[in-house]
Amino acid sequence: MTGEMAEISQHILAEVNRFEPLLLHYGLLLIMLAVAVEGFGIPAPGQTLLVVGAILAARGKFDITTLLLSAWVATIIGNLIGYYLGRLGGRKLLSHLPVNPAHLERMESLCQRHGIKLVLVARFIDGVRQLSNFLVGMLEMPPTAFLLMTSIGAALWVGAWGLGAYELGRNFHQIALGFAYLKPYTWAASLLAVLLMAIYLFRRKQDR
């Protein structure tokens, strides 16, 4: 478990190093653009940029409140664009996008059965967040219901990834030290687990 968490930490640091120059050059506008375009079907690293931006905010590069509010507003705007594109001509537009027909059919079925709940959690699911707004627009979900659910869903998504990454950035060194401290114990626990499994298998074989 510690090894997996260490790998995750290394991956996050790699993403920070990768995107930090871009974010410092273009600022929050880049995050807003990325999270917005995902709302109307264009794949973009919006979630990754949000996480990296929040970690940079923990280092004092951005104001975390401004970042979170900007990302929240941009997410809602992008989702509304996707919704109205779907409502005004979604099927024709989707036919020009590289979307798997079988995947689209499953998404339509999901939207018909769980439209409101899907809008609430769509941002947390890759693939779904790019298509769900089109589809609920195509299926003519009431605009007020969509606006309410997408605003709540955007707040949950931005809060979870933005605040979570911000807290990670503030306490990253303490977390890394904790992993380093626990590493010898995880090796010992792994060896003990292997030994217990070997004893169990040996006894089971003798019983047979």
Side-chain angles (χ1 to χ4, degrees):
M1 184 68 174
T2 304
E4 292 175 2
M5 293 303 295
E7 287 180 15
I8 292 170
S9 300
Q10 290 172 1
H11 174 72
I12 291 172
L13 281 176
E15 293 298 301
V16 171
N17 293 333
R18 177 186 172 194
F19 287 110
E20 182 176 5
L22 284 172
L23 285 176
L24 293 181
H25 182 73
Y26 293 104
L28 299 181
L29 184 63
L30 183 61
I31 298 174
M32 294 176 69
L33 180 63
V35 299
V37 299
E38 281 191 313
F40 50 92
I42 300 176
Q47 187 166 283
T48 300
L49 288 174
L50 174 61
V51 168
V52 173
I55 291 174
L56 293 177
R59 298 178 181 177
K61 306 293 185 181
F62 300 116
D63 177 66
I64 186 62
T65 303
T66 305
L67 185 151
L68 295 176
L69 285 174
S70 301
W72 179 64
V73 170
T75 300
I76 293 171
I77 291 172
N79 290 354
L80 284 170
I81 292 172
Y83 170 82
Y84 278 106
L85 286 174
R87 196 173 178 93
L88 298 174
R91 288 193 181 278
K92 186 176 180 181
L93 190 60
L94 279 174
S95 67
H96 297 290
L97 294 174
V99 179
N100 186 308
H103 182 58
L104 180 59
E105 187 177 331
R106 287 195 300 270
M107 282 293 300
E108 281 191 42
S109 175
L110 192 63
C111 284
Q112 287 173 338
R113 287 182 286 126
H114 307 289
I116 294 289
K117 290 179 281 186
L118 183 66
V119 171
L120 193 63
V121 301
R123 274 280 165 173
F124 290 92
I125 309 168
D126 192 30
V128 175
R129 65 171 165 261
Q130 287 89 3
L131 290 176
S132 60
N133 302 311
F134 274 122
L135 295 174
V136 295
M138 257 176 8
L139 296 170
E140 299 188 349
M141 176 185 286
T144 51
F146 176 80
L147 179 59
L148 176 62
M149 288 298 104
T150 201
S151 298
I152 296 171
L156 293 173
W157 180 71
V158 169
W161 288 104
L163 281 178
Y166 179 70
E167 288 302 319
L168 174 66
R170 290 179 64 190
N171 301 288
F172 192 86
H173 292 295
Q174 289 89 337
I175 293 170
L177 286 172
F179 288 152
Y181 176 76
L182 290 173
K183 192 172 183 180
Y185 298 100
T186 58
W187 278 108
S190 299
L191 289 172
L192 180 61
V194 170
L195 179 61
L196 290 173
M197 180 61 72
I199 293 171
Y200 168 76
L201 292 174
F202 178 74
R203 287 184 174 177
R204 187 176 178 185
K205 186 175 180 182
Q206 279 191 323
D207 291 340
R208 285 182 178 178

